[in-house]
């Protein structure tokens, strides 16, 4: 059983979550959920009156501990930020992770490797950090700063700044 989810992401029909770890550990084990097909509801606890399933099957995907996660909106491929800011991409259908260069504090993923991060560079006077986009081999600095990032399905980023203001790249 999983006691507490500390971060979750969805995309491409999948739900990804980071399970809270015990002790002082700040990260959690990456988990991925498959919705049970309606045809299989009778064999699973939690079937509702409408014939849809209310439970999920959770699977562990590698031994990577992470604090942030983003699933591709179009392809469900997960990217995560580890406890130390290192960035990883899912490989082998989720059975493993490959480290990418760079460091992040927040991450967003539109799919097809259109991934953006708020970097680990020193924050400005307002508490915001630089924003970077993955180009397939490295992170390219982009305009803007923030503390959190999200992507529209078309890949355009939205930034939350430390003062609570929200900005979108044109």
């Amino acid at each position: 059983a999983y006691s507490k989810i500390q971060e979750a992401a969805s995309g491409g029909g999948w739900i990804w979550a980071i399970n809270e770890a015990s002790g002082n550990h700040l990260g959690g084990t990456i988990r991925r959920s498959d919705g049970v097909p309606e045809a299989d509801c009778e064999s699973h606890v939690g079937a509702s009156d409408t014939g849809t399933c209310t439970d999920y099957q959770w699977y562990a995907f590698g031994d990577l501990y992470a604090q942030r996660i983003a699933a591709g909106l179009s392809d469900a491929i997960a990217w995560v930020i580890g406890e130390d800011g290192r960035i990883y991409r899912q490989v082998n259908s989720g059975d493993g992770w490959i480290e990418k260069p760079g460091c992040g504090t927040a991450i967003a993923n539109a799919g097809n490797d259109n991934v953006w991060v708020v970097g680990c560079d020193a924050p400005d006077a307002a508490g915001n950090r630089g924003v970077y986009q993955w180009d397939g081999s490295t992170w390219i600095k982009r305009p803007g700063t923030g503390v959190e990032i999200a992507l529209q399905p078309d890949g355009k980023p939205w930034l939350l700044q430390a003062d609570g203001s929200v900005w979108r790249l044109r």
Side-chain angles (χ1 to χ4, degrees), residues 5-157:
I5 300 296
Q6 72 176 27
E7 175 99 348
S10 66
W14 287 88
I15 299 169
W16 288 88
I18 300 174
N19 189 41
E20 180 182 66
S22 61
N24 295 328
H25 205 278
L26 298 176
T29 304
I30 307 298
R31 304 286 174 183
R32 183 167 161 173
S33 173
D34 286 329
V36 178
E38 286 189 34
D40 294 337
C41 278
E42 291 181 14
S43 64
H44 291 80
V45 175
S48 71
D49 294 336
T50 62
T52 59
C53 290
T54 58
D55 64 337
Y56 289 91
Q57 301 298 313
W58 289 92
Y59 305 94
F61 281 79
D63 290 331
L64 180 67
Y65 285 89
Q67 59 183 345
R68 304 301 304 268
I69 189 166
L73 298 174
S74 61
D75 61 13
I77 294 175
W79 285 65
V80 299
I81 296 175
E83 296 173 300
D84 56 3
R86 291 182 185 173
I87 302 167
Y88 300 86
R89 182 189 186 279
Q90 166 202 349
V91 294
N92 301 329
S93 300
D95 292 335
W97 301 90
I98 185 166
E99 185 175 352
K100 297 296 184 178
C103 183
T105 58
I107 191 164
N109 180 358
N112 299 315
D113 284 347
N114 184 5
V115 179
W116 292 62
V117 297
V118 174
C120 292
D121 40 349
D124 62 18
N128 299 303
R129 299 174 189 266
V131 177
Y132 301 85
Q133 182 182 22
W134 181 249
D135 76 352
S137 61
T138 192
W139 298 98
I140 305 298
K141 178 108 171 77
R142 297 297 185 202
T145 60
V147 294
E148 292 290 340
I149 190 163
L151 297 178
Q152 297 177 177
D154 67 2
K156 288 192 177 180

